């Protein structure tokens, strides 16, 4: 998430509305502030912040002002306890999202390999496309390590499909020529290491 927010942008993206206040219920102090920040962050990004540093300082201050809690208390919010797990579940349910399953990850990898990998090479763009797809499917994106696995699976599948399609279009003569280029000479005493090995050994 970007770090700089104007006053107008904070009002448009981080203002707690009627339904938000109902979700806050009787929460108080650090819990009240933490929940409010998680809720608005998820609405904007389609995922939860991983830690306090993911949240813009201006957004914390703005939400804190609304819930009448000191912004400093956000530093005390527990990111690994039962409370944050409950908060995430409550927010998912309210917004109609669910956690990604292994089956979801496989489907996401298949979609990414087919629709995005053939036209986009940047890891960052692939990641953005995957997160956007999760939002469309109303799925919370997998954890970073799982998300990397999905990206790796998708890239491997796309590369395999590409090479298979290219190979299927080659004539027998072209295949023989390519194999000759990469062929290695068994007899090292012959003084010929093969064309590709010789080419790679040339510093120019």
């Amino acid at each position: 998430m970007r770090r700089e927010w104007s006053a107008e942008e904070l009002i448009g993206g981080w203002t707690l509305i009627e339904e938000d206040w109902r979700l806050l219920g009787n929460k108080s102090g650090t819990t009240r502030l933490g929940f409010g920040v998680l809720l608005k962050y998820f609405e904007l990004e389609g995922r939860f912040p991983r830690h306090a540093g993911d949240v813009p300082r201006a957004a914390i201050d703005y939400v804190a002002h609304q819930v009448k809690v000191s912004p400093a208390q956000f530093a005390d919010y527990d990111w690994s306890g039962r409370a944050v797990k409950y908060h995430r579940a409550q927010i998912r349910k309210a917004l109609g999202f669910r956690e990604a399953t292994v089956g979801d990850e496989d489907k996401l990898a298949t979609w990414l390999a087919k629709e995005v990998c053939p036209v986009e090479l940047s890891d960052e763009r692939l990641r953005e496309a995957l997160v956007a797809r999760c939002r469309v499917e109303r799925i919370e994106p997998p954890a970073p390590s799982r998300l990397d696995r999905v990206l790796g699976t998708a890239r491997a599948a796309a590369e395999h499909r590409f090479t298979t399609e290219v190979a299927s279009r080659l004539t027998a003569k072209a295949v023989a020529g390519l194999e000759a280029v990469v062929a290695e000479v068994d007899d090292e005493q012959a003084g010929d290491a093969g064309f590709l090995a010789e080419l790679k050994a040339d510093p120019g």
Side-chain angles (χ1 to χ4, degrees):
M1 175 176 280
R2 58 195 173 89
R3 313 310 298 172
E4 300 299 325
W5 291 72
S6 67
E8 292 77 12
E9 290 170 334
L10 287 171
I11 293 172
W14 294 87
T15 297
L16 296 165
I17 59 175
E18 183 178 356
E19 181 58 32
D20 300 335
W21 288 109
R22 281 198 289 268
L23 288 172
L24 279 170
N26 59 359
K27 296 178 178 66
S28 61
T30 300
T31 299
R32 186 175 180 82
L33 175 57
F35 184 92
V37 169
L38 256 62
L39 173 61
K40 303 312 291 186
Y41 190 104
F42 195 95
E43 287 179 351
L44 290 167
E45 294 287 293
R47 64 179 180 86
F48 291 110
R50 291 165 297 178
H51 49 72
D54 278 349
V55 186
R57 184 75 251 175
I60 296 171
D61 293 343
Y62 184 70
V63 174
H65 176 74
Q66 294 176 80
V67 299
K68 295 179 172 54
V69 175
S70 169
Q73 291 193 42
F74 190 66
D76 298 326
Y77 188 66
D78 185 0
W79 292 88
S80 59
R82 288 183 297 176
V84 70
K85 293 178 181 178
Y86 174 69
H87 291 172
R88 288 171 178 164
Q90 192 177 0
I91 291 169
R92 285 190 210 100
K93 182 178 180 180
L95 300 181
F97 278 72
R98 59 183 176 80
E99 292 184 270
T101 64
V102 174
D104 291 324
E105 293 177 6
D106 292 339
K107 290 178 181 178
L108 288 168
T110 299
W111 171 81
L112 199 64
K114 182 180 179 181
E115 303 294 337
V116 186
C117 289
V119 296
E120 184 57 70
L121 300 178
S122 165
D123 284 353
E124 188 59 32
R125 294 290 179 83
L126 291 176
R127 193 181 302 275
E128 290 173 359
L130 181 56
V131 171
R133 180 69 176 184
C134 286
R135 188 161 193 165
V136 170
E137 298 290 333
R138 313 296 285 179
I139 299 171
E140 181 188 352
S145 60
R146 303 294 298 174
L147 192 144
D148 288 341
R149 187 194 72 84
V150 172
L151 292 178
T153 299
R155 278 194 295 264
E159 290 169 1
H160 178 73
R161 180 181 293 113
F162 174 75
T163 54
T164 300
E165 290 178 354
V166 170
S168 69
R169 298 173 185 175
L170 296 176
T171 64
K173 183 179 179 180
V175 171
L178 288 171
E179 288 180 344
V181 169
V182 299
E184 296 182 0
V185 177
D186 292 333
D187 187 0
E188 297 181 359
Q189 302 301 321
D192 185 358
F195 176 75
L196 182 60
E198 182 179 348
L199 186 65
K200 289 167 65 178
D202 189 333

